[in-house]
Amino acid sequence: KSISHKRLTNRKYHVIMNQSMKSFSYFNSIIGDIMSKRGNKNILLKILSIFIILGFVFFVPSCVPTVSTDTKPGNENIGQDVNNNPSDNGDQEAGVFYENEELPQEIRDYYRSAYGLKGEALKMELQNIIRTDHTNKGYGFLWTAFLTTDKAPNGKVWDMYSNTSELGETAAYWFVFIENQDKGSGSEEGKVYNREHTWPKSTFGSTESTPQYSDIHHITPVDKIVNGKRSNFAYGEVKQPSFISQNGSKLGTPKDNLGANNTVFEVVDFYKGDHARMHFYTSVRYYEDSLFIDCDWASTGARLKPWYNEMLYEWNTADPVSQKEIDRNNEIYKLQGNRNPFIDYPELIELIDFIH
């Protein structure tokens, strides 16, 4: 496994060889003295040589430890013994989706058919799982769904475009459910909330009766004015803002080398992971759906473009799954019948190809 290990092994080998040769010379001299008068020295020496060789064949290998050929730094003796045999630690194959036994049984069973899969087979089975029991409750039902899926600790609307704390305890302004619901009025920030398609509906051309249009997993309650400012621009990282909401969300030109071609909208840092995992879900749930057209952040069939995939991956890493997301996922499951796998199993983001 290392140069010093190999040198030690070679040293042991040469010690055994030297001892064998010394023993051979010793017996040779004794037998020579005894048999010099009888003339049978050569015959006995040949017989003795055979025994020594046989002893060397069977004895030496058991004395020299097997050396692993794995020289990757940091892999020494991890999960293996010195003979390179798998340990009892249950080594897992790279790229394969495994069950997390620390999750509630109901969640583990939900993904039962996907365990042990990898690559495209895993992606397709996840799509099958989250599509099969997806019940479309309709666009109008979203107002009712928000009452439990997006309720802040104080019982008011948890709007990620106006909230100012990760735990939902503070906000630039608060909306009261139903009372501040958008009914067609409101011309300034902080007055009414409406339904934000985080994956803009203009890029999947469906109607209100389709599941894409009313899928709660990618639709959130937000300030009407901020929603309008965001429009159908991609999420991104802003270099020069043209608009900043009261909680710090920004609209503007993208940072250099981001990869976006147009204006982007940047949410505050502690909600970036939330939006990343929403779009990972959408990319798999509607993978190869012909209604999803080419846009700044995705190719046809809801396949993420490389720049966007890379950015969402970074957002996901910097802002891990929160209790807010876990609770929201559980509530949506009760209402809509399907789950966001990238909240239950964030490690799936490492296993899925969202681009191809």
Side-chain angles (χ1 to χ4, degrees):
K1 294 185 176 64
S2 65
I3 294 176
S4 59
H5 190 133
K6 290 178 180 178
R7 286 174 176 168
L8 177 60
T9 301
N10 290 335
R11 193 155 54 244
K12 290 180 180 179
Y13 181 87
H14 289 300
V15 167
I16 294 171
M17 286 292 294
N18 290 335
Q19 291 296 331
S20 299
M21 295 306 296
K22 288 179 181 179
S23 297
F24 183 88
S25 299
Y26 175 74
F27 283 112
N28 180 35
S29 63
I30 293 176
I31 293 173
D33 291 340
I34 296 174
M35 300 303 300
S36 59
K37 296 180 180 181
R38 299 183 182 181
N40 294 325
K41 175 181 177 183
N42 291 337
I43 295 176
L44 288 177
L45 283 178
K46 289 179 181 179
I47 294 173
L48 180 58
S49 298
I50 292 173
F51 278 105
I52 291 175
I53 292 172
L54 289 175
F56 180 81
V57 170
F58 289 103
F59 175 73
V60 171
S62 65
C63 297
V64 181
T66 302
V67 179
S68 168
T69 58
D70 184 3
T71 58
K72 187 175 180 179
N75 281 355
E76 294 86 351
N77 294 322
I78 296 179
Q80 295 184 336
D81 61 22
V82 293
N83 289 313
N84 207 31
N85 295 319
S87 71
D88 295 329
N89 294 334
D91 294 344
Q92 296 183 342
E93 181 183 347
V96 174
F97 179 37
Y98 291 98
E99 180 176 1
N100 180 358
E101 297 184 355
E102 295 182 359
L103 290 174
Q105 188 65 52
E106 183 179 16
I107 296 177
R108 290 157 56 190
D109 290 342
Y110 182 76
Y111 299 100
R112 183 67 54 195
S113 60
Y115 299 135
L117 299 180
K118 63 190 298 187
E120 183 72 4
L122 173 58
K123 183 176 183 178
M124 297 307 294
E125 184 55 29
L126 285 176
Q127 183 187 57
N128 180 60
I129 291 171
I130 62 180
R131 180 174 58 189
T132 299
D133 295 323
H134 179 178
T135 301
N136 178 19
K137 293 294 190 71
Y139 191 53
F141 179 73
L142 290 171
W143 298 118
T144 301
F146 292 156
L147 294 173
T148 55
T149 61
D150 293 88
K151 182 173 66 175
N154 63 3
K156 297 182 179 180
V157 178
W158 199 326
D159 169 15
M160 290 185 283
Y161 290 176
S162 65
N163 209 266
T164 55
S165 70
E166 182 177 3
L167 300 178
E169 297 170 338
T170 60
Y173 43 82
W174 289 105
F175 293 123
V176 177
F177 283 112
I178 308 301
E179 180 182 333
N180 297 125
Q181 180 178 309
D182 181 18
K183 299 177 177 63
S185 61
S187 58
E188 58 184 280
E189 189 178 350
K191 297 300 181 182
V192 295
Y193 69 96
N194 63 7
R195 297 161 290 191
E196 162 74 306
H197 289 81
T198 64
W199 192 297
K201 57 182 180 291
S202 62
T203 64
F204 53 81
S206 59
T207 64
E208 291 188 15
S209 62
T210 60
Q212 299 93 327
Y213 203 93
S214 56
D215 189 337
I216 314 171
H217 279 297
H218 78 98
I219 303 174
T220 62
V222 302
D223 181 270
K224 178 180 181 178
I225 299 303
V226 182
N227 188 357
K229 291 288 187 180
R230 188 260 167 140
S231 186
N232 62 355
F233 294 117
Y235 288 118
E237 295 174 354
V238 173
K239 177 182 179 180
Q240 184 64 45
S242 58
F243 167 80
I244 302 177
S245 76
Q246 291 184 37
N247 87 325
S249 298
K250 295 177 285 188
L251 180 77
T253 56
K255 288 184 177 180
D256 296 337
N257 302 318
L258 181 64
N261 296 319
N262 299 300
T263 300
V264 295
F265 184 84
E266 181 174 1
V267 298
V268 293
D269 289 347
F270 45 82
Y271 292 137
K272 284 179 176 176
D274 303 55
H275 287 82
R277 289 177 284 274
M278 286 184 201
H279 280 203
F280 285 136
Y281 160 87
T282 307
S283 182
V284 171
R285 170 62 180 84
Y286 301 103
Y287 173 54
E288 294 189 327
D289 187 326
S290 60
L291 290 176
F292 282 74
I293 63 174
D294 184 85
C295 56
D296 199 21
W297 66 90
S299 302
T300 54
R303 292 172 293 119
L304 303 184
K305 291 188 174 177
W307 77 266
Y308 196 64
N309 180 73
E310 181 180 352
M311 185 194 73
L312 292 188
Y313 180 85
E314 292 173 354
W315 283 13
N316 166 75
T317 302
D319 176 32
V321 174
S322 64
Q323 190 61 48
K324 173 191 185 301
E325 290 177 89
I326 294 172
D327 294 341
R328 188 174 198 271
N329 197 23
N330 289 336
E331 288 300 320
I332 294 175
Y333 182 49
K334 294 175 185 177
L335 299 170
Q336 188 172 278
N338 70 341
R339 306 187 64 85
N340 183 335
F342 306 106
I343 294 174
D344 293 326
Y345 282 95
E347 61 268 32
L348 279 168
I349 295 169
E350 302 274 0
L351 308 180
I352 299 297
D353 181 352
F354 299 97
I355 299 173
H356 303 102

